Amino acid sequence: MQVTLKIFRYNPEDNRKKHFDTFTVEAEPTDRILDLLERIKGTEDGTLGFRRACAHGVCGSDAIRINGVNRLACKVLVQDLKSRKVTIEPILGLPIEKDLIVDMEPFFDHYRSVMPYFVNDDPPPSKERLQSPEERERFDDTTKCILCAACSTSCPSFWVNDKYVGPAAIVNAHRFIFDSRDQAAAERLEILNEQFGVFRCHTIFNCTDACPRDIQVTQAIGEVKKAIIDRNLE
Amino acid sequence: MALSRKVSLSAGAKYKGGGPMLAWVLHRISGLGIIIFVTLHVIASFFTQQFGSDLGISINIIYESIYFQLFIVFCAIFHGVNGFRIIVLDIWPRLIRYQKESTWLEWFVILPLYGLTVFIMIQRFLEG
């Protein structure tokens, strides 16, 4: 079958303004959008810029907008699409470097701001720090994040305010806030209780729909909101 | 040089967020509708009571028109019920997994409530 891809183009070294280029390629129903992008880059236009690494939905490099919604290019098959015409655009809310490549640094700045690492000042035990299955289950969902930015860049609150930490940072804070072995939950909740923290979330649910790992992002954000409120009421 | 991160209104509106995003957009629009109504009401009262001005009466005509009333009643009902749904989900985050059901429930409350109100309003409007 033939698939027509309308792809957003922007080259900072070119005088042409941002525009769309259209390519028609042969495709199998089981081809991924990433395969089609590779085919275009390999045979039709070598200047096309996009990110990819593992190509198996693990590295999170190839988050793009496919027909107006954030998805990983390596996880969407041609047969999953309703139309043979596909519009490909970069994710929203981050500066566009070239074509489908965005500057991820502002996203990672927010990620780093919530202390996304294990904190425990007690001397390490001789073996591992034990945790019950129930305690592990408490934050299991949010351990799956691959930092693709699909959630944050689907969020209208993030689009309009670059200071908002965004869903991905909150998900990664959640992963440690509810870890029974961690000792810095109070600090993280303090950070997320600030003006551009968790209460900028308006429960829009775009993040949950966009997550390629099916993380219940809005629920995680809700649990962090609740933890902050409970802590303030104590 | 990289393109700005700014997301235009048209680019944001084209994002296909589905029902929950539509509910959020309607929540904002209905909130604005209520603000416009209250502002018009305050301005009209101010001009009428302080200056006995015709301007107040002119503003009254705007927000007392049947079309504006139908719009503002929808705004008030939708904003109230959707806001209540969001508050419930915020207080009990475990219910967020049932957000689709909560949206259906919300419309199950809004549509009969609005329909009944519209029926009574139009009946009275026709009676003069």
Side-chain angles (χ1 to χ4, degrees):
Chain A
M1 73 172 77
Q2 287 202 318
V3 177
T4 302
L5 289 96
K6 187 177 151 196
I7 304 176
F8 177 93
R9 304 301 301 271
Y10 169 71
N11 185 348
E13 295 172 354
D14 191 350
N15 287 330
R16 290 181 73 187
K17 289 183 177 175
K18 58 184 182 180
H19 62 281
F20 283 89
D21 280 343
T22 304
F23 303 91
T24 302
V25 292
E26 277 295 325
E28 295 294 323
T30 50
D31 276 343
R32 303 164 301 175
I33 296 301
L34 183 64
D35 296 325
L36 306 190
L37 292 175
E38 297 273 20
R39 205 161 296 156
I40 291 166
K41 188 173 176 68
T43 61
E44 298 204 32
D45 186 348
T47 66
L48 178 63
F50 59 91
R51 279 202 181 95
R52 58 95 73 197
C54 79
H56 286 81
V58 178
C59 71
S61 301
D62 57 351
I64 52 174
R65 256 182 305 155
I66 300 172
N67 285 344
V69 66
N70 284 5
R71 295 286 181 263
L72 289 188
C74 61
K75 287 196 76 175
V76 177
L77 305 182
V78 170
Q79 66 190 18
D80 296 338
L81 301 168
K82 288 175 185 165
S83 164
R84 296 284 167 263
K85 290 181 181 174
V86 188
T87 304
I88 308 284
E89 296 162 279
I91 47 181
L92 291 165
L94 292 171
I96 299 167
E97 299 279 11
K98 182 179 184 295
D99 298 337
L100 305 175
I101 302 171
V102 295
D103 177 7
M104 296 284 282
E105 206 47 44
F107 169 79
F108 285 117
D109 285 343
H110 288 308
Y111 168 67
R112 284 187 284 264
S113 74
V114 298
M115 305 165 63
Y117 42 81
F118 183 69
V119 177
N120 188 323
D121 295 330
D122 293 342
S126 56
K127 292 185 178 175
E128 69 269 26
R129 296 177 197 273
L130 290 176
Q131 190 169 48
S132 71
E134 291 75 26
E135 286 171 334
R136 176 63 177 75
E137 177 67 25
R138 183 71 188 85
F139 60 93
D140 185 66
D141 198 33
T142 46
T143 61
K144 297 185 290 186
C145 179
I146 55 174
L147 296 173
C148 64
C151 59
S152 289
T153 58
S154 71
C155 174
S157 301
F158 186 78
W159 297 340
V160 297
N161 196 328
D162 62 347
K163 290 178 183 165
Y164 172 44
V165 292
I170 301 168
V171 159
N172 283 280
H174 178 284
R175 183 255 170 269
F176 291 101
I177 287 168
F178 294 100
D179 186 335
S180 58
R181 303 161 300 178
D182 188 90
Q183 295 178 338
E187 283 174 67
R188 292 192 192 90
L189 292 175
E190 198 66 44
I191 293 165
L192 291 171
N193 192 23
E194 286 178 4
Q195 189 184 358
F196 299 106
V198 74
F199 291 103
R200 288 271 158 179
C201 166
H202 299 298
T203 326
I204 304 168
F205 287 99
N206 281 2
C207 51
T208 305
D209 173 66
C211 180
R213 304 302 300 255
D214 294 329
I215 299 172
Q216 294 301 308
V217 182
T218 314
Q219 182 173 339
I221 295 172
E223 287 172 2
V224 173
K225 282 180 186 172
K226 182 86 175 4
I228 291 172
I229 293 167
D230 289 347
R231 184 170 160 266
N232 289 345
L233 290 176
E234 278 174 7
Chain B
M1 201 176 85
L3 273 183
S4 163
R5 70 170 296 281
K6 280 186 181 170
V7 181
S8 67
L9 187 62
S10 64
K14 282 178 194 161
Y15 190 87
K16 292 181 180 166
M21 186 171 164
L22 181 66
W24 171 72
V25 170
L26 276 177
H27 195 78
R28 289 293 163 119
I29 292 171
S30 58
L32 274 175
I34 293 167
I35 289 172
I36 290 168
F37 171 73
V38 172
T39 307
L40 286 177
H41 197 80
V42 169
I43 292 172
S45 302
F46 176 74
F47 277 104
T48 308
Q49 289 174 15
Q50 294 298 314
F51 306 114
S53 163
D54 288 345
L55 183 63
I57 295 166
S58 305
I59 296 170
N60 268 342
I61 291 169
I62 295 172
Y63 73 75
E64 284 181 357
S65 77
I66 185 74
Y67 305 109
F68 195 90
Q69 296 277 317
L70 289 173
F71 169 68
I72 209 65
V73 164
F74 176 79
C75 288
I77 292 175
F78 181 83
H79 203 80
V81 177
N82 189 58
F84 180 71
R85 180 180 71 94
I86 298 296
I87 290 168
V88 169
L89 294 181
D90 272 347
I91 293 175
W92 293 285
R94 285 184 185 276
L95 294 178
I96 284 175
R97 71 185 68 177
Y98 304 110
Q99 67 93 6
K100 277 186 185 167
E101 289 81 354
S102 74
T103 307
W104 284 114
L105 184 65
E106 169 184 320
W107 285 106
F108 191 72
V109 173
I110 289 171
L111 289 178
L113 201 58
Y114 184 59
L116 184 66
T117 313
V118 167
F119 176 75
I120 293 168
M121 284 170 72
I122 290 177
Q123 198 177 35
R124 290 194 177 174
F125 176 72
L126 293 174
E127 286 168 4

